[in-house]
Every structure is written in C-alpha cells, then in structure tokens.
Amino acid sequence: MFNSQPQQEWCIQELKIAAEAGVRIRDLALYESLNTVADNGQSIILTSGCTIPVLRTLQRLVIWGSNINQEMFIKILSYVKECPQMTRLHFEHSQLPLKDVIDPEQIPSQLKERGLRVLYDRGHGLVYRLSFDHGQWEIHYLPSNQSLSVGIDQGQSQLEQEWCLQELKMAAEAGVAISLLSLNASFSTVADNSQSIILTSGHTLPVLQTLQLLFIQGTDINQEMFIKILSYVKECPQLTLLHFEHSQLPDVVDPEQIPSQLKQRRLQVWWMDVYRLLDLESGRWKDGVEQTAKWWAI
C-alpha cells in the first residue's frame, strides 16, 4: 500500500472496482500502514485514515511491520471472515502475541471451515502457523539446513525479550537446532536448581535441549557463578561451546566442581578476551592459539 494519502485513495478505489467486478485480488500487502479494524469487521482503517472495505475477491492479506495485540488480532480475523475467498493471512516482521493462547472460541468458525492458514514470519527463518484447535502458534516451516540464532540484549524491551524466549522454547520443543544464543549484558544469574538462567530483566530462560553455543558477553563472573553456569550447561545435552567475551572470569576453576558430564561431552569453554580455552581436567586456562594449532595438526 502506497504511503501518501492520494496514492492510497487511488489504490483503494482500484481494489473496490476490481472486487465489485469479480476480478481476483491475489495479494494485498499493508506495509506498516495498518491502524485498526472497524468494530463491525467491515473495514480496515489505515494509519492515514483511509479505509479499506471488505473485498470479496481478496485471496491473501499480508500485514508487514505492525505491532498487534490479541484484541487487534481477533478484530483482523473478523475482517478476514467477511472476505469469502481469502484463504491466507500472513504476518511478516511484526510483533504478535506469540506467547499467548488465543481463545479458540473467539476464532470465527467460518475460518476453520474455509481452511484459512494464518502464518507468522518474524524474519529469523522460522515461520509459525496458528492452530485453530488450540489457539496456539506452532512451528510451521524452517528452511532446510537452517538453524536458529538468537540474541538477547540488555537494551531490548521486556516484550521483545519475551518474544525471543518464547521463540527459543518453541524451537527447542520442536527439535529445531539453536546454533547460537547470545546474552549481551543481559545475564544475571542461574537458578539454584540449574534449570534456568535469570536475565537482568527478571525473565527466565529454561533449559534448551537443542542449544549448541551459549555466548555470554559483558558480565563479570566469579567462581561460584561460573560453576552455576556450567551446571546449567550440563542440562543442555547438545551444548558443546560456551564463550565469554568482555567479561572478567576466575583465573582458576576448581576441577572437582566441574560436572563430569561436560568432560565426557568435551565441552569447549572459551575466554575470548584473552583467547584462552579452559582445561576441564585441571581447571586452568590454556593458550587458545596453541590448542587450535594442535587441532589443525591432527
């Protein structure tokens, strides 16, 4: 949808004429232009103030770059219900209530009978699909040979962190590989039972069964906290790389407190500021350049 109001008015008029003439409208994309939906579900109101009426020949609606809460989401479904040929509703680069369960009773039955597919692409490679039966988002598609990489920064909003955490949990539960989780000045501590990381925001990050690399940045860690982090890592069976950067770490770690499972797993713990690798047997840091040279020589 064009940005200027005269262009939007011209485009909307063309859409109305096409729908009234029975011309198929394959796609309508709203780029950061959605404002709300009329209470009766009969029109979409744009940020410019222009309104898009029900288009009876519209087949797919794409909403791009909008923040949508659960109430607004239900109103959008009410509009979609009035468009009898629409079978696809896509959201891209938007913020939706991913972590919330949408009451299936609020989803119009006509949409279920029509076989409407509601997809959500946040731009990380994962595409979610709304289950009408449960009102929950499920992982629908991940490009082949692709894994999930997520960063949680201290500067992110509480809501954005919640979305990241929910996405991580859903990916892990679906068996999707999480190749990297980066905590940039957002790490606070580890729960006493080692089952979660607590962020500076107060949010908790549970054990992720498919996490492969944990990268902690901008946090000073004493020996007690270091051991607690290793205890969390022990609970993540696919995690084989633990990196620290812009952090102060203990010079020596008590090897008796390093979980034996991590030694068997051959976990690599890197202190990137000084490029040193932790020897899990002795608890001392070794020269990373020398160790890398040994690996290449094998």
Side-chain angles (χ1 to χ4, degrees):
M1 186 64 68
F2 298 107
N3 291 326
S4 71
Q5 187 166 343
Q7 286 177 316
Q8 286 189 1
E9 291 174 352
W10 176 85
C11 188
I12 292 169
Q13 184 64 23
E14 191 174 54
L15 287 168
K16 289 193 290 186
I17 292 172
E20 290 168 1
V23 175
R24 182 183 64 180
I25 304 171
R26 188 180 63 182
D27 290 293
L28 170 59
L30 304 180
Y31 293 100
E32 300 180 345
S33 57
L34 171 71
N35 181 26
T36 188
V37 174
D39 291 337
N40 61 4
Q42 293 296 313
S43 63
I44 287 175
I45 303 171
L46 303 180
T47 53
S48 65
C50 295
T51 60
I52 301 175
V54 167
L55 302 170
R56 300 193 64 81
T57 60
L58 177 60
Q59 297 182 330
R60 185 175 77 144
L61 175 62
V62 179
I63 297 175
W64 200 98
S66 297
N67 296 335
I68 297 169
N69 59 24
Q70 187 161 168
E71 180 184 359
M72 178 60 64
F73 187 83
I74 296 300
K75 292 177 76 172
I76 292 170
L77 291 184
S78 297
Y79 173 84
V80 171
K81 181 190 70 172
E82 303 300 323
C83 303
Q85 294 188 32
M86 193 189 301
T87 57
R88 299 288 186 274
L89 173 61
H90 291 193
F91 296 89
E92 298 184 13
H93 299 278
S94 297
Q95 295 178 346
L96 269 72
L98 186 64
K99 67 184 183 66
D100 297 334
V101 176
I102 297 169
D103 185 358
E105 296 298 320
Q106 291 189 279
I107 300 174
S109 60
Q110 298 93 324
L111 301 183
K112 304 175 187 179
E113 296 166 0
R114 194 189 302 170
L116 177 75
R117 296 175 68 182
V118 183
L119 302 180
Y120 176 27
D121 181 357
R122 287 195 65 214
H124 299 314
L126 284 173
V127 177
Y128 299 91
R129 181 176 179 176
L130 180 66
S131 168
F132 286 156
D133 293 331
H134 308 101
Q136 294 179 312
W137 294 95
E138 301 172 346
I139 291 177
H140 172 66
Y141 172 74
L142 178 70
S144 59
N145 300 320
Q146 185 169 330
S147 57
L148 184 65
S149 177
V150 175
I152 299 178
D153 300 331
Q154 187 181 44
Q156 288 176 322
S157 68
Q158 290 259 350
L159 192 56
E160 180 62 25
Q161 286 195 3
E162 288 177 4
W163 281 316
C164 287
L165 293 171
Q166 184 65 16
E167 190 165 57
L168 287 165
K169 288 190 285 187
M170 291 176 67
E173 290 169 0
V176 174
I178 303 170
S179 59
L180 170 65
L181 170 58
S182 175
L183 303 180
N184 185 9
S186 57
F187 173 86
S188 177
T189 187
V190 175
D192 292 336
N193 62 2
S194 305
Q195 294 298 308
S196 63
I197 285 175
I198 302 171
L199 303 179
T200 54
S201 63
H203 291 310
T204 58
L205 175 70
V207 167
L208 301 170
Q209 296 287 321
T210 60
L211 177 59
Q212 298 173 344
L213 166 59
L214 177 60
F215 198 172
I216 297 176
Q217 304 176 70
T219 305
D220 291 340
I221 310 285
N222 59 25
Q223 180 154 180
E224 179 184 1
M225 183 60 64
F226 193 89
I227 296 300
K228 293 179 75 172
I229 292 172
L230 292 183
S231 298
Y232 172 83
V233 170
K234 181 190 71 174
E235 303 299 323
C236 303
Q238 295 187 32
L239 204 161
T240 56
L241 290 169
L242 174 61
H243 290 189
F244 295 91
E245 189 172 50
H246 305 306
S247 302
Q248 186 61 45
L249 303 178
D251 293 328
V252 180
V253 180
D254 183 357
E256 297 299 320
Q257 295 190 63
I258 298 176
S260 60
Q261 297 93 324
L262 300 184
K263 302 174 185 179
Q264 296 166 4
R265 196 189 301 173
R266 302 182 70 179
L267 173 75
Q268 294 181 30
V269 184
W270 288 90
W271 188 356
M272 304 304 291
D273 299 288
V274 293
Y275 202 66
R276 292 188 176 275
L277 177 69
L278 183 66
D279 184 331
L280 299 182
E281 295 297 337
S282 67
R284 297 183 178 277
W285 297 96
K286 290 185 175 182
D287 187 285
V289 175
E290 179 182 339
Q291 188 60 48
T292 302
K294 289 181 181 178
W295 290 336
W296 278 108
I298 295 175

